[in-house]
Amino acid sequence: IAAIVSGDVTVHEFNAPKLQIFFPAKTGRKLQSFTWFSQAENIHCQHGLYFQDGQRRVDYVLTYPVKNRGIHSRGEHPRHHQAQRPKDSSSLPSSPVADVELGCLGETFNGQEDHKAFRREEFEGKLRDTGLELEKDEDTKIPGVGFVKIHAPWTILCREAEFMKLKMPTKRVYEVKQSTGVMEKISSLVSKVLEPLHPHVEEHQPKNIKHLSHTFSREKQHLFDLSDKDYFFDSKTRSSIVSSTGSCLHCGDINEESAESNDRKLLYEEWANYSVFYKYQPIGLVRKYFGEKIGLYFAWLGLYTQMLIPASLVGVIVFLYGCATVDDNIPSMEICHPRNNITMCPLCDRVCSYWKLSTACGTARASHLFDNPATVFFSIFMALWAAMFMEHWKRRQMRLNYEWDLTGFEDEEDHPRAEYEFRVMQKSLSKDQKSQHKVITCRSVLNYQDRLPAYMTNIVMMLLMIGVTFAIVFGVILYRISTKAALHMSSNPTTRNHVQLTVKTTAAIINLVVILILDEVYGAVARWLTVLEVPKTDKSFEERLIFKTFILKFFNAFTPIIYIAFFRGRLVGRPGSYLYVFESYRMEECAHGGCLMELCIQLSITMLGKQLIQNNLFEIGIPKLKKLIRYIRSKQGAFQEEERQKKLQRYEADHFLEPFAGLTPEYMEMIIQFGFVTLFVASFPLAPLFALLNNIIEIRLDAKKFVTELRRPVAARAKDIGIWYNILRGVAKVAVIINAFVISFTSDFIPRMVYQYMYSPDGSMHGFVNHTLSYFNVSHFQEGKETMDPLQLGYPVEICRYKDYREPPWSTTPYEISKEFWAVLAVRLAFVIVFQNVVMLMSDVVDWLIPDIPKDISLQIHKEKILLVDLFMKEEQGKVHILESRTSAVGKENCSSGNNNNSTMAHQRSGLHTNSTNSF
């Protein structure tokens, strides 16, 4: 401190409790780091994120159950003093340590716990053999739980970083030149405007300065900035190195917890906080703390949410257009006209009676909000939006790869899973027994024949689960039919007037509940089927699990919606010849406004219900409930009050958190939501708005869950989002086809267009409603199917109307399909073909026009390659120069020694000559 005050040294960086001081060259010392702690912090270092010596950092923590011994008090635990072996004891027999692990001498354990303790000691011994340093701590505030702290020395970090091919920053820094011109000025202006939306996360270096990165090598350590070895590898890298070192040892049933870092509080304040919902995410800090794989997920989720903003705006405009033009819609005006005297046929047998078309006024007006010409434009817009989103994400992903030094990164070769190796060993043993050989062949693999029973089981079970979904949808259909008939028999006029709304809403809620239940069942079934297949690697296991889960959950979520959109009202028949199920349930019809309104109700309830209940309530509620159960089971609640008030260490508190279960549930809910947004957007233009509102909450909810509710996962490197991108592309392609069919067959867009340009006398929509209604003679009803109250309207009915294109009863071919039906069908099919080809062509054009790699990133990558070549050339030149200098120095020494030898020999010869002369 006196040297700082006197000005002899310069403070390079002050980040309490760390102080970096730069000593001038005359002192012979360069950049040095000092760390100081208060008394309380020293205790924390000794028992928290450091070993007992207060020097070695804790890079990883393992937890394991400890048997309550009941002999020693908590303060007299003998285990703590013998926790750490001498460094030269890794090769010693493990039996004495195993005795300590098993408890006091003479204490008996059952065979299972004895086996677990032996396996744990064996595993810890193997960890020590790899060079890791361990320290056990069973004297914790959590009864029945012990902890093993793991520290990776510098040599181990360097060795594993080289094996893992980690790219680390070198000493060489360069300036990232910004483009100049009008676009750069606009970008700079936008950045200044959006400055308040950026999180308050300090950058360690200017944005235009970047370290040149290179794959770490122990032979080239001089290229890297090793002035502070303690922080050269950050905490997530150190924990991932420890995890990769021990992953091949098959640790078995050992819970893992990574060590804590100082970024956690900053993440909570600037990311996992609902008050900062309007700000951008600190993706760089998320990647630094959780690793690239989780960082990519939140980057993708953030971009998806941003892209929903324009889609939401256009969807709201389309909805407002429907609201503004509803009073000018001629078909709905004709239906709602008070003088409309069109009598409709009964909607069900016996209990239903004739009804006036004007009573469907509300449904017709509401249908126009979602069934208008603007929805066609919106469907095309959303198809292009999906293509733009895909291209934008590829560019964003490439930029992150550059910023995170992942360019050139290739996925590491996964080790075979333990289950796969076990099956291979079983197969080898079986072959060995049959051939009576004593040597087990290690080259055995599981071929197609070995997996054939599992594949057949997968196919049968997948079809069975999809069949269960269809059966449940069919059951809901029967519910609607029977409930509608029962409500029509009610004596309450209010109930009879709201039959349609009541049946639609309750059926949608039932579908939602069933979907939520089956989602959990299908997730468990998909995992069980994947386990049966015994995939070789973890990556293969994850991809197969994702594919099965997606297929089952996709059918579960969208089967009821697909039925309403494409099948309901088309398998009905006609009055006098209806189609029946089980000879008593008449198939349900669509309302006069079409099935689009009911499709909208089903879609909105399912989407909002899944987002509110499954994605939000379950996500935050279930981890908290599991945390409470784990807290109670640990007997923490039985502590005395003063014991409960003691502050737990970070890793002790994290023990009560839920283990990280992977990103599959997070991606899955967003992919299903993406399906709701794109697949049936023609029937529900407000879907992007609801998705946007949900995702704004979802980002902070997921962030809070990762920071406060889950144990910190082991950092995993990844350069893309994997199979999820292919699933997104598949959903986007299917969305084009489905929206084409929704517009063509579900909505009245094509029938209106055909009438206006082919059958309308004046080219307007006047008379469209009458054109779409056919005639039926009520005397042609089947016996026992006619209404029980034919005079409900106050007069006898001879002719009723129904929605279909059929010949009237007085024609030569009564009730036959009319030519108008074939005209509409031809236009519908033509529209589907044209719509698909045009929209997909436009999507391909967007894909072709937008390059996958941003131009500035491409230039920077090329520049980095040149700088790396220059760096290595200078290194080689330096080596050659040093070698030449040494060679030259050796040559001069040889020359000087040669001259000395020559002069000595000449002197000796002259002396000899003199002596000889004198002798003579």
Side-chain angles (χ1 to χ4, degrees):
I1 295 176
I4 296 173
V5 174
S6 63
D8 293 336
V9 297
T10 305
V11 176
H12 178 70
E13 181 180 355
F14 176 66
N15 228 348
K18 189 177 183 66
L19 175 67
Q20 290 187 345
I21 300 178
F22 182 79
F23 291 86
K26 63 183 181 181
T27 63
R29 301 173 67 183
K30 296 181 180 180
L31 187 65
Q32 298 291 330
S33 299
F34 300 92
T35 306
W36 72 93
F37 302 95
S38 64
Q39 182 178 1
E41 289 170 333
N42 278 323
I43 297 175
H44 181 268
C45 289
Q46 292 176 1
H47 301 285
L49 301 180
Y50 289 82
F51 276 21
Q52 288 293 315
D53 54 16
Q55 300 295 326
R56 290 173 293 174
R57 295 175 56 184
V58 177
D59 299 317
Y60 210 81
V61 179
L62 300 178
T63 71
Y64 58 91
V66 176
K67 183 69 176 179
N68 294 330
R69 295 163 176 83
I71 298 177
H72 298 276
S73 62
R74 292 181 54 83
E76 300 174 350
H77 206 295
R79 179 69 181 143
H80 192 70
H81 302 287
Q82 303 183 26
Q84 188 173 353
R85 294 184 184 179
K87 293 184 179 179
D88 59 347
S89 66
S90 59
S91 61
L92 296 177
S94 59
S95 57
V97 181
D99 292 340
V100 177
E101 175 65 35
L102 293 175
C104 303
L105 294 176
E107 184 177 356
T108 59
F109 278 69
N110 57 44
Q112 184 179 4
E113 292 180 352
D114 189 13
H115 178 66
K116 288 183 178 180
F118 176 77
R119 287 185 60 199
R120 185 160 56 248
E121 284 296 333
E122 184 181 15
F123 175 70
E124 292 170 2
K126 291 181 179 180
L127 288 179
R128 291 188 179 92
D129 292 340
T130 62
L132 298 175
E133 298 177 4
L134 278 61
E135 182 180 82
K136 291 187 178 181
D137 183 10
E138 293 183 0
D139 189 16
T140 65
K141 302 180 182 67
I142 306 176
V145 177
F147 297 91
V148 177
K149 303 175 186 177
I150 302 178
H151 169 74
W154 172 254
T155 55
I156 304 302
L157 292 174
C158 294
R159 183 192 70 192
E160 295 301 322
E162 184 174 352
F163 291 162
M164 296 170 65
K165 299 180 181 180
L166 296 180
K167 294 184 73 173
M168 304 301 296
T170 64
K171 297 177 182 178
R172 180 72 178 273
V173 295
Y174 67 96
E175 182 179 1
V176 180
K177 294 184 178 180
Q178 303 292 335
S179 59
T180 58
V182 179
M183 295 302 298
E184 175 58 26
K185 293 181 179 179
I186 296 176
S187 178
S188 177
L189 180 62
V190 172
S191 299
K192 290 181 180 179
V193 173
L194 299 179
E195 184 66 26
L197 301 181
H198 291 278
H200 299 294
V201 179
E202 296 181 1
E203 297 289 343
H204 296 286
Q205 61 185 20
K207 292 183 178 180
N208 60 336
I209 299 296
K210 189 177 187 297
H211 277 275
L212 186 64
S213 298
H214 182 62
T215 304
F216 185 81
S217 173
R218 287 173 287 182
E219 296 179 355
K220 301 182 183 297
Q221 289 191 32
H222 58 279
L223 298 178
F224 301 92
D225 184 10
L226 303 180
S227 58
D228 189 358
K229 292 184 178 180
D230 290 339
Y231 291 91
F232 180 72
F233 297 105
D234 56 19
S235 62
K236 61 101 176 173
T237 305
R238 297 173 72 102
S239 63
S240 62
I241 287 177
V242 175
S243 176
S244 64
T245 304
S247 62
C248 59
L249 301 178
H250 304 305
C251 60
D253 297 330
I254 297 179
N255 299 323
E256 11 181 273
E257 298 178 20
S258 297
E260 179 67 18
S261 77
N262 296 325
D263 297 322
R264 191 168 188 169
K265 182 179 179 182
L266 189 58
L267 281 172
Y268 182 80
E269 294 174 350
E270 296 296 331
W271 184 50
N273 197 332
Y274 294 110
S275 62
V276 295
F277 72 92
Y278 59 93
K279 290 186 177 182
Y280 292 105
Q281 300 181 84
I283 295 298
L285 188 61
V286 175
R287 172 252 178 180
K288 178 183 176 183
Y289 188 76
F290 291 109
E292 287 79 6
K293 193 170 185 178
I294 294 178
L296 281 174
Y297 163 71
F298 281 102
W300 174 84
L301 180 58
L303 179 64
Y304 171 50
T305 304
Q306 291 178 24
M307 291 293 291
L308 283 173
I309 296 176
S312 302
L313 292 176
V314 177
V316 171
I317 292 173
V318 170
F319 179 75
L320 293 177
Y321 170 82
C323 295
T325 58
V326 67
D327 292 331
D328 299 328
N329 182 39
I330 295 177
S332 60
M333 292 172 60
E334 290 182 347
I335 294 175
C336 298
H337 198 279
R339 296 184 180 180
N340 191 338
N341 198 28
I342 297 179
T343 302
M344 303 297 295
C345 296
L347 295 176
C348 62
D349 294 338
R350 302 294 292 169
V351 296
C352 298
S353 184
Y354 306 105
W355 56 285
K356 291 292 186 180
L357 181 61
S358 57
T359 58
C361 175
T363 304
R365 290 173 62 87
S367 297
H368 178 74
L369 302 179
F370 306 98
D371 186 6
N372 55 72
T375 57
V376 180
F377 158 77
F378 190 53
S379 299
I380 298 174
F381 170 82
M382 288 302 295
L384 299 180
W385 173 86
M388 289 284 292
F389 168 59
M390 297 296 176
E391 295 305 311
H392 197 177
W393 168 244
K394 284 194 291 187
R395 291 169 62 85
R396 172 66 170 158
Q397 187 173 257
M398 195 63 205
R399 187 175 295 277
L400 291 176
N401 285 343
Y402 165 73
E403 293 176 356
W404 295 351
D405 296 325
L406 293 173
T407 53
F409 167 75
E410 297 295 336
D411 292 334
E412 302 174 2
E413 183 179 357
D414 287 344
H415 297 286
R417 299 172 61 246
E419 293 82 357
Y420 179 84
E421 291 184 343
F422 179 71
R423 286 288 299 274
V424 170
M425 185 180 67
Q426 284 184 325
K427 180 181 177 181
S428 301
L429 288 173
S430 177
K431 287 183 177 180
D432 194 49
Q433 291 176 356
K434 291 181 180 179
S435 59
Q436 295 182 354
H437 289 165
K438 295 183 179 180
V439 181
I440 299 176
T441 58
C442 297
R443 296 183 179 179
S444 298
V445 294
L446 297 182
N447 52 31
Y448 182 81
Q449 293 179 349
D450 298 326
R451 290 194 173 103
L452 183 59
Y455 289 153
M456 295 302 298
T457 304
N458 270 260
I459 294 174
V460 172
M461 287 299 298
M462 292 283 287
L463 294 177
L464 178 61
M465 293 298 101
I466 295 175
V468 169
T469 302
F470 289 157
I472 292 176
V473 171
F474 184 71
V476 175
I477 294 172
L478 297 182
Y479 163 79
R480 278 199 294 255
I481 295 173
S482 57
T483 303
K484 183 186 297 183
L487 292 178
H488 274 292
M489 297 175 62
S490 175
S491 58
N492 190 343
T494 305
T495 303
R496 291 198 304 269
N497 293 335
H498 297 86
V499 168
Q500 294 289 342
L501 181 62
T502 303
V503 172
K504 293 176 184 177
T505 305
T506 55
I509 294 175
I510 292 174
N511 273 323
L512 172 62
V513 174
V514 171
I515 287 172
L516 295 179
I517 296 174
L518 289 184
D519 265 353
E520 303 301 321
V521 175
Y522 288 166
V525 171
R527 177 168 291 277
W528 174 66
L529 293 176
T530 308
V531 170
L532 285 181
E533 291 182 356
V534 195
K536 183 176 182 180
T537 62
D538 287 332
K539 182 179 179 181
S540 176
F541 182 92
E542 183 182 18
E543 289 181 349
R544 296 184 185 204
L545 175 62
I546 288 171
F547 180 75
K548 294 181 183 64
T549 306
F550 171 74
I551 293 297
L552 292 177
K553 291 192 175 184
F554 181 87
F555 274 96
N556 184 36
F558 293 104
T559 298
I561 300 173
I562 291 174
Y563 163 74
I564 295 174
F566 303 126
F567 296 99
R568 184 179 177 183
R570 287 166 179 80
L571 304 175
V572 178
R574 61 170 180 83
S577 181
Y578 283 114
L579 180 64
Y580 290 89
V581 179
F582 302 138
E583 298 182 356
S584 57
Y585 293 97
R586 172 177 147 186
M587 292 299 294
E588 51 187 351
E589 303 178 47
C590 293
H592 184 76
C595 284
L596 201 66
M597 187 62 194
E598 185 168 350
L599 177 62
C600 177
I601 293 175
Q602 178 68 57
L603 189 63
S604 59
I605 291 179
T606 304
M607 180 180 178
L608 296 179
K610 279 181 65 66
Q611 292 182 163
L612 179 63
I613 299 175
Q614 189 178 44
N615 299 353
N616 294 335
L617 186 61
F618 284 4
E619 274 195 15
I620 196 66
I622 291 180
K624 285 186 177 295
L625 181 60
K626 290 183 178 180
K627 179 181 177 181
L628 177 62
I629 294 175
R630 194 177 294 107
Y631 182 85
I632 296 174
R633 289 179 62 183
S634 68
K635 301 180 181 178
Q636 182 80 357
F639 283 6
Q640 296 179 357
E641 185 63 27
E642 60 271 14
E643 185 75 17
R644 196 182 297 126
Q645 294 298 328
K646 288 184 179 180
K647 182 176 178 60
L648 297 176
Q649 299 297 333
R650 182 69 262 173
Y651 58 85
E652 293 175 334
D654 286 352
H655 173 72
F656 296 106
L657 300 180
E658 180 74 8
F660 177 66
L663 290 171
T664 299
E666 316 299 333
Y667 274 113
M668 188 64 68
E669 65 182 71
M670 289 295 107
I671 296 297
I672 296 297
Q673 185 201 83
F674 182 79
F676 281 118
V677 169
T678 56
L679 291 177
F680 295 92
V681 72
S683 61
F684 191 39
L686 294 180
L689 176 63
F690 290 123
L692 173 63
L693 297 177
N694 173 80
N695 287 7
I696 291 175
I697 302 174
E698 179 74 18
I699 290 176
R700 307 302 164 180
L701 186 65
D702 282 349
K704 194 176 184 66
K705 181 175 67 174
F706 271 81
V707 174
T708 63
E709 300 295 336
L710 298 178
R711 297 177 189 173
R712 183 184 180 187
V714 177
R717 289 189 299 167
K719 64 179 180 180
D720 51 41
I721 60 176
I723 192 176
W724 297 109
Y725 181 80
N726 297 329
I727 293 177
L728 281 170
R729 287 189 65 88
V731 172
K733 296 296 184 182
V734 173
V736 176
I737 300 173
I738 288 184
N739 279 296
F741 277 94
V742 168
I743 295 172
S744 181
F745 287 91
T746 308
S747 72
D748 282 339
F749 175 75
I750 298 300
R752 288 196 299 263
M753 187 174 62
V754 170
Y755 173 79
Q756 185 174 3
Y757 295 103
M758 294 182 62
Y759 298 103
S760 176
D762 54 0
S764 67
M765 291 301 298
H766 290 285
F768 170 74
V769 175
N770 186 65
H771 176 77
T772 58
L773 297 177
S774 298
Y775 295 87
F776 179 75
N777 192 333
V778 298
S779 61
H780 295 165
F781 271 121
Q782 295 176 342
E783 185 178 358
K785 303 296 183 181
E786 66 277 1
T787 178
M788 295 185 300
D789 188 9
L791 299 178
Q792 182 177 354
L793 297 179
Y795 56 88
V797 177
E798 297 181 357
I799 297 293
C800 64
R801 310 289 296 273
Y802 61 99
K803 189 175 182 180
D804 203 350
Y805 291 103
R806 291 183 179 271
E807 297 293 339
W810 53 80
S811 68
T812 55
T813 55
Y815 307 126
E816 293 292 329
I817 296 176
S818 63
K819 60 181 181 179
E820 288 85 355
F821 172 84
W822 299 112
V824 171
L825 180 62
V827 176
R828 280 175 166 168
L829 294 176
F831 176 85
V832 168
I833 296 173
V834 173
F835 184 89
Q836 292 181 22
N837 292 332
V838 170
V839 174
M840 288 189 176
L841 177 62
M842 295 172 68
S843 300
D844 293 339
V845 170
V846 170
D847 190 2
W848 177 73
L849 288 177
I850 302 177
D852 295 344
I853 304 177
K855 185 178 180 180
D856 60 329
I857 298 299
S858 179
L859 294 175
Q860 294 299 332
I861 293 175
H862 181 68
K863 182 179 179 179
E864 279 197 358
K865 292 180 179 179
I866 296 176
L867 290 175
L868 277 175
V869 172
D870 181 62
L871 179 64
F872 287 116
M873 288 294 293
K874 289 183 178 179
E875 182 190 7
E876 293 299 325
Q877 291 175 0
K879 288 181 179 180
V880 172
H881 179 70
I882 293 173
L883 183 61
E884 290 177 350
S885 300
R886 291 179 178 177
T887 305
S888 176
V890 172
K892 289 180 180 180
E893 290 178 359
N894 291 335
C895 290
S896 60
S897 62
N899 293 333
N900 293 334
N901 292 335
N902 292 334
S903 61
T904 303
M905 290 176 65
H907 180 71
Q908 291 176 351
R909 288 176 181 176
S910 62
L912 179 61
H913 177 72
T914 304
N915 294 335
S916 300
T917 304
N918 293 336
S919 65
F920 282 109

